[in-house]
Amino acid sequence: MFDRNKPLFSRPVLAAIMVLSTLGIWFLNLISSNTALPAPNVVSWKTTSGIPVNWVNMEDWQNGNKVIIKFVFESKHTNSQLTEATFDLLMGDSLPLSRSTINQRLAPLSAKAESYITPLQQTLQLTLNSESNYLPPSLSVIKTWLQQATFKPRSLVNWQQRHRELGNEEQRLLDMLQVNDGTKTKQVSLENINAHYQSIQHSTSHISIVGHLDDTSKQRIDVFLDSLSESFQPMTVNAKAIDEREAREENSSGFQTHSHHVMNEGTLHESHSILSVKPPQSVEDWATYLIWARDSVATANQNSHINFMQWHLSLTTAPSYVWWSQQYQPPLENTTQNDDIAPAPDQWKQYNTLPSYTDEKQFALLKEQLLMQLESRTLTPDWWAYISTQITTPTSSLTLETFIETYSDALNSFTIENYKDHLAKLIYLDRYQDIQVNQ
């Protein structure tokens, strides 16, 4: 018979229950609590030449003086060497009547210029000090530099001596992924560099400004951007060409299918892979790419056969693609057929084998790690400069305004079911190429 005078649990058992309950509540909070991410203010307009501009500002930046101006270009030229040479010479001693580089001139003004190019997109980033004794002279130097850039023969000779003959693996993979459009490759000469620089200026997609500006600084930058309008023109958007491209992508026409290209004999030493994907149309699409990439890199780096893995997302260009490169450990002398084998270069496109796809706890952990990192990164101008130029565009359904309005709620409510659905819709599994280098 049940004795009502005795406690239901002994003290040690009760203590254990309390500890486990506390841990359980903590774990549930870890995987289910919402993370409030900041929503900066955005002001949008166009330069006098029609280039879209957005200005991202946040209250937390009001005491700072860091301002980023980022130009995004989408030049259609297929010769990556010509683009590399153009930006290399631009960042060198291209100031008129000067042997100084642009950054040597900007350093005393607490400013700097940086360029970053991919085969389909080029960006030029200016990091400036918004204080009144720094900003006007910085903008004056930059205006002269961009409008009157002088490419010099000795600079081209120096670039040719430094340039690698093997070329860029990402460009080679992209060339293999796409059917050649018939564009002839132009020789890298000063004449062609000057013409290509003008072509780049006339392919300006948009401009992003990130940081706090008072009324005077904002007006100075407005005048600066409008003064560039004689040289910098908006990218021509052909609606019919866009429709044809989207139809071609949907029908897989115009793209090479799955194939491998092996270089040299021997055992696999490194591989470079490219896979065509759809550009993100929502924050959920973007989150899917991030978690897929993070899980692939983490899983690869845990594999004893892989030394190093690099992953790159190019999501705002046409076509969008993911690119990864991995370096393999040399095989051990005493390995047998029963030992684990190194993962194939194309394993990472098989997303349904990754822990984030098969294990809900692993997905929740990766999502939580992403949210924790974003809590700090979203407070920095550099992160918003990246989002406003490399992830969102004024002409896509995922504009900067849409991203800011929806990203916090979308990330918090993102589930493994959402993740699986988006992976299946975003990735073209049959549009894959790789280069395998043996030694």
Side-chain angles (χ1 to χ4, degrees):
M1 181 178 291
F2 182 71
D3 188 348
R4 294 180 180 274
N5 295 321
K6 290 184 178 181
L8 185 59
F9 299 107
S10 65
R11 288 185 177 181
V13 173
L14 186 59
I17 291 174
M18 292 176 66
V19 170
L20 292 174
S21 298
T22 302
L23 290 174
I25 293 172
W26 173 83
F27 180 74
L28 289 174
N29 287 334
L30 179 67
I31 64 174
S32 64
S33 60
N34 285 348
T35 300
L37 298 173
N41 299 316
V42 181
V43 179
S44 300
W45 69 94
K46 290 185 178 181
T47 66
T48 53
S49 63
I51 300 171
V53 182
N54 56 61
W55 170 35
V56 184
N57 192 17
M58 195 179 292
E59 289 185 6
D60 291 351
W61 302 337
Q62 289 187 2
N63 295 325
N65 56 18
K66 180 177 180 178
V67 175
I68 296 172
I69 303 178
K70 200 164 184 178
F71 296 81
V72 181
F73 310 99
E74 294 188 5
S75 173
K76 298 178 181 179
H77 206 288
T78 58
N79 186 350
S80 63
Q81 292 188 9
L82 184 56
T83 302
E84 290 173 14
T86 301
F87 276 88
D88 187 276
L89 268 62
L90 180 66
M91 299 299 296
D93 57 344
S94 58
L95 284 159
L97 305 176
S98 173
R99 295 182 67 98
S100 300
T101 67
I102 180 61
N103 280 320
Q104 286 172 333
R105 290 286 297 274
L106 290 177
L109 301 172
S110 188
K112 67 177 179 179
E114 301 170 277
S115 65
Y116 177 68
I117 63 173
T118 67
L120 297 175
Q121 187 181 76
Q122 309 83 37
T123 61
L124 180 64
Q125 177 169 313
L126 308 173
T127 304
L128 308 173
N129 188 320
S130 63
E131 296 176 12
S132 59
N133 54 332
Y134 288 114
L135 186 60
S138 296
L139 295 177
S140 177
V141 171
I142 292 169
K143 177 185 174 183
T144 301
W145 171 54
L146 293 178
Q147 288 190 320
Q148 303 177 32
T150 304
F151 302 117
K152 299 160 187 174
R154 66 173 181 273
S155 300
L156 178 58
V157 172
N158 292 335
W159 177 83
Q160 290 171 333
Q161 292 174 346
R162 296 192 309 269
H163 185 68
R164 292 186 305 161
E165 294 296 329
L166 293 178
N168 182 289
E169 288 84 0
E170 188 174 354
Q171 175 67 54
R172 293 168 60 196
L173 285 166
L174 191 63
D175 289 341
M176 292 190 298
L177 188 68
Q178 294 179 282
V179 174
N180 193 301
D181 62 2
T183 303
K184 293 183 179 180
T185 299
K186 293 183 178 180
Q187 180 184 3
V188 179
S189 65
L190 285 179
E191 180 182 2
N192 289 334
I193 286 175
N194 278 290
H196 189 43
Y197 180 56
Q198 183 177 6
S199 173
I200 290 171
Q201 291 177 313
H202 291 179
S203 302
T204 310
S205 169
H206 56 290
I207 302 170
S208 182
I209 306 168
V210 185
H212 174 69
L213 296 171
D214 58 27
D215 292 341
T216 302
S217 298
K218 168 68 165 50
Q219 184 178 12
R220 284 169 174 160
I221 290 180
D222 281 346
V223 172
F224 164 71
L225 294 179
D226 284 338
S227 70
L228 295 178
S229 292
E230 295 179 4
S231 305
F232 287 73
Q233 301 291 326
M235 178 179 60
T236 302
V237 179
N238 187 322
K240 182 179 179 181
I242 291 176
D243 292 340
E244 291 176 350
R245 185 199 72 203
E246 291 178 348
R248 184 172 67 250
E249 290 183 358
E250 289 296 331
N251 296 325
S252 299
S253 174
F255 290 88
Q256 300 287 359
T257 55
H258 190 291
S259 65
H260 308 283
H261 302 264
V262 180
M263 300 175 60
N264 307 328
E265 296 181 356
T267 57
L268 186 60
H269 172 63
E270 63 183 49
S271 65
H272 310 277
S273 304
I274 194 168
L275 180 65
S276 181
V277 299
K278 293 182 180 181
Q281 301 296 312
S282 65
V283 173
E284 290 85 355
D285 288 349
W286 173 69
T288 297
Y289 286 128
L290 287 185
I291 293 178
W292 175 38
R294 286 165 175 263
D295 198 18
S296 298
V297 172
T299 305
N301 287 336
Q302 291 171 3
N303 191 289
S304 60
H305 296 281
I306 296 179
N307 267 337
F308 171 78
M309 185 183 197
Q310 178 184 5
W311 192 288
H312 171 66
L313 304 172
S314 181
L315 301 177
T316 56
T317 55
S320 295
Y321 60 92
V322 296
W323 172 81
W324 62 88
S325 179
Q326 52 193 2
Q327 190 178 82
Y328 294 83
Q329 285 272 22
L332 300 175
E333 294 182 0
N334 298 323
T335 55
T336 67
Q337 292 184 351
N338 295 327
D339 292 327
D340 292 335
I341 60 174
D346 63 351
Q347 175 170 324
W348 311 112
K349 74 186 185 73
Q350 305 300 335
Y351 52 79
N352 58 356
T353 64
L354 289 170
S356 59
Y357 193 95
T358 60
D359 185 348
E360 189 164 1
K361 289 184 179 179
Q362 182 63 20
F363 170 83
L365 179 61
L366 288 169
K367 173 186 166 180
E368 184 64 25
Q369 290 174 347
L370 174 61
L371 286 169
M372 290 177 63
Q373 290 177 347
L374 291 181
E375 279 189 287
S376 57
R377 291 183 180 179
T378 53
L379 298 176
T380 65
D382 294 271
W383 191 84
W384 285 106
Y386 165 74
I387 292 296
S388 62
T389 54
Q390 262 55 64
I391 300 300
T392 64
T393 64
T395 57
S396 75
S397 59
L398 186 58
T399 63
L400 179 60
E401 291 84 355
T402 301
F403 184 96
I404 292 173
E405 182 180 348
T406 61
Y407 86 110
S408 185
D409 289 340
L411 290 174
N412 279 293
S413 61
F414 195 54
T415 66
I416 190 171
E417 288 77 17
N418 301 144
Y419 174 62
K420 292 179 179 180
D421 290 343
H422 284 267
L423 278 172
K425 296 174 183 177
L426 290 172
I427 301 171
Y428 296 110
L429 291 175
D430 59 336
R431 303 180 195 172
Y432 169 86
Q433 298 283 321
D434 68 39
I435 299 172
Q436 301 177 22
V437 182
N438 298 329
Q439 70 173 17

